[in-house]
Amino acid sequence: VSALDANNVWAVGLGGTILKYNGSSWSNQVSGISEWLLGVTTLSTTNVLTVGRNGTVLKYNGTSWNSENTSVTNQGLKAMSGLNSDNVWTVGASGTILKYNGSTWSSQTSGTSSSLYGIKAINANNVWAAGYNGTVVQYNGSSWTAKTLSAFQFTNFYALDGFDSNNVWAAGQTGAIAKYNGSVWLSQTSGTSSDLSGISALDANNVWARFRLRNKF
C-alpha cells in the first residue's frame, strides 16, 4: 500500500491486482498483467510505480497503467521507495537493486546476494534496505554498503521503514524487530513469535508492524 493523501491510496497484490482508494471507496484498476505485484510507491496523482515478479515494473500516468521496459533484470522485485520522480529505488531477489532517475532504470551493486524485501529512502544520500539472513544495506548517495547483523544472521527481514536518519526499523521472521538509532542496530522485543511482513513508522512513538499471513512472496 502507498498513500499520497487521504483521497489517493493504491494497493497492489496477487494476479496483477491494483486497487485505488478515492477517500470513500476502493475500485479496481486495470493493470494489464497477471504477475504478482509486491511493491508500490506514489509520487503524485500522475506518477505511481509498482513492481513485482520477473522484473515487472508498471507506471501510472493518471489515466492508465503501462509497462516499463527496464531491460535490467528478470529477478523478482519485492519492494520500492521513492523520494521524487528522479529518485526511486526497488529491491528484490539475489540482492537486486534498481534505481529510476526519471527516465531510465539502472542496476546498482548492493554488495550482497541475499534477497532484499524492504526498502526506505530517507533522502537521496541515505537509503536503507533489508532482507534475508539478517542483511541490511545502506546507500550513501554513491554506493551501497552491506552488512549482516550478528544478532539476526539466521533471521530473514521482510520489511523496513523509517522517517529520519536516527529512526529506521526492520521487521521479519519470528517477530524479529531491529532498530537503527543513527549509529548501531539494536534488537527490540516485539512481543510475538509470528513472522512480521510489514512495518510503518509515523514517528518515534507510532510504529506499526503486521503479521505475515501467507507463506508466499
Side-chain angles (χ1 to χ4, degrees), residues 120-155:
K120 176 64 177 183
I122 304 297
N123 58 55
N125 299 314
N126 191 7
V127 186
W128 286 94
Y132 277 10
N133 303 314
T135 299
V136 295
V137 295
Q138 184 184 25
Y139 182 68
N140 63 6
S142 59
S143 62
W144 291 87
T145 300
K147 67 181 295 185
T148 300
L149 304 186
S150 58
F152 298 93
Q153 60 182 313
F154 303 111
T155 300

Side-chain angles (χ1 to χ4, degrees), residues 60-130:
Y60 182 68
N61 60 13
T63 304
S64 62
W65 289 90
N66 300 287
S67 177
E68 290 270 292
N69 183 13
T70 66
S71 301
V72 177
T73 185
N74 59 3
Q75 295 283 358
L77 301 173
K78 314 296 186 181
M80 66 189 318
S81 181
L83 297 170
N84 50 51
S85 58
D86 299 327
N87 289 280
V88 180
W89 289 264
T90 181
V91 297
S94 303
T96 298
I97 299 179
L98 307 182
K99 185 186 181 219
Y100 185 64
N101 65 5
S103 58
T104 59
W105 290 89
S106 60
S107 178
Q108 295 191 320
T109 301
S110 66
T112 182
S113 60
S114 294
S115 292
L116 300 170
Y117 277 80
I119 184 168
K120 176 64 177 183
I122 304 297
N123 58 55
N125 299 314
N126 191 7
V127 186
W128 286 94

Side-chain angles (χ1 to χ4, degrees), residues 180-204:
Y180 184 70
N181 63 9
S183 58
V184 296
W185 285 89
L186 299 173
S187 177
Q188 293 192 324
T189 301
S190 67
T192 181
S193 60
S194 296
D195 292 351
L196 301 172
S197 64
I199 192 164
S200 180
L202 302 178
D203 57 45

